[in-house]
Amino acid sequence: MKYFLITYATKTGSTKKVAEFIALSLTNKGIKTNVLPMNEVTSFNDYTGVIIGAPVNGMQWLPEAKAFITKNMDTLRTLPVAYYLLAVVLNGGRPFFVNKLSKAFDTSSQIVTPVTCGFFKGIITGEPPFILRLIFGLKKDIPKAIENSKEIQDWSEQLIELM
Ligand SMILES: Cc1cc2nc3c(=O)[nH]c(=O)nc-3n(C[C@H](O)[C@H](O)[C@H](O)COP(=O)(O)O)c2cc1C
């Protein structure tokens, strides 16, 4: 029976919410899941697959994610693994930055090759600071919630075939 670990790093909580939504999407399809922050993962014994999520800060996938993958690479290489990121620039930001995100998983993928990668719209609580909007070319009214995202649900469901 499939049993997926969904592990995340977060600064402001939205990557955790996405982890929980991925878990819900999989549970609704009969897949057993466990959601844990990366610093609480002590064993991979029971899992048949691992989903690893972190936000983009300073146009980089959070370094904690790469550190987690490096630390556990021997085990992760024996399991199907998927990566996901959250980036606010995906809310209609400048193509220059959106295109840069395609490289966000490169070094981690060289350490452990994922079956697939998810790119999800990041959340900023409150109004995004002017400087952030200016640099990334964002509008004021970017979405404040990720729950019930069809995009994330579809991505989660295709993992059942891939992993
Ligand atoms: C300090 C900081 C830096 C960020 N840098 C970027 C960035 O370079 N590019 C981007 O698209 N989003 C950036 N964001 C937005 C986050 O990726 C987005 O808000 C995400 O949903 C945050 O995830 P978290 O709540 O799990 O920390 C940044 C957010 C913070 C707080």
Side-chain angles (χ1 to χ4, degrees):
M1 191 196 164
K2 290 187 181 182
Y3 182 23
F4 293 164
L5 169 68
I6 305 152
T7 186
Y8 62 87
T10 183
K11 291 285 181 199
T12 60
S14 48
T15 309
K16 179 184 181 188
K17 282 189 182 162
V18 171
E20 287 164 349
F21 186 67
I22 292 169
L24 179 69
S25 303
L26 291 168
T27 309
N28 285 341
K29 293 285 172 185
I31 304 292
K32 199 176 157 192
T33 62
N34 191 25
V35 178
L36 278 179
M38 283 174 201
N39 59 8
E40 288 180 22
V41 177
T42 53
S43 155
F44 295 90
N45 281 350
D46 299 328
Y47 305 119
T48 61
V50 182
I51 301 158
I52 299 171
V56 166
N57 279 188
M59 288 314 290
Q60 286 197 329
W61 205 33
L62 218 59
E64 279 96 314
K66 190 182 151 196
F68 177 84
I69 291 160
T70 306
K71 182 179 158 201
N72 298 295
M73 65 181 169
D74 290 342
T75 311
L76 292 173
R77 282 176 181 164
T78 68
L79 293 166
V81 170
Y83 300 154
Y84 72 89
L85 62 74
L86 269 72
V88 77
V89 78
L90 289 172
N91 294 285
R94 293 188 205 289
F96 173 79
F97 291 108
V98 174
N99 293 339
K100 264 184 184 275
L101 288 179
S102 65
K103 301 213 175 297
F105 295 116
D106 280 6
T107 52
S108 296
S109 298
Q110 281 163 14
I111 299 163
V112 176
T113 310
V115 295
T116 191
C117 295
F119 297 80
F120 304 134
K121 296 180 178 80
I123 299 288
I124 299 270
T125 37
E127 192 175 293
F130 173 73
I131 188 73
L132 206 67
R133 284 195 281 122
L134 186 75
I135 294 168
F136 289 144
L138 296 168
K139 300 206 173 74
K140 267 188 189 176
D141 56 344
I142 59 171
K144 302 271 182 289
I146 348 155
E147 288 89 347
N148 309 318
S149 157
K150 178 85 172 75
E151 188 192 358
I152 299 173
Q153 185 185 339
D154 290 348
W155 184 81
S156 307
E157 288 176 4
Q158 50 112 33
L159 295 178
I160 301 167
E161 295 298 317
L162 291 173
M163 295 177 66

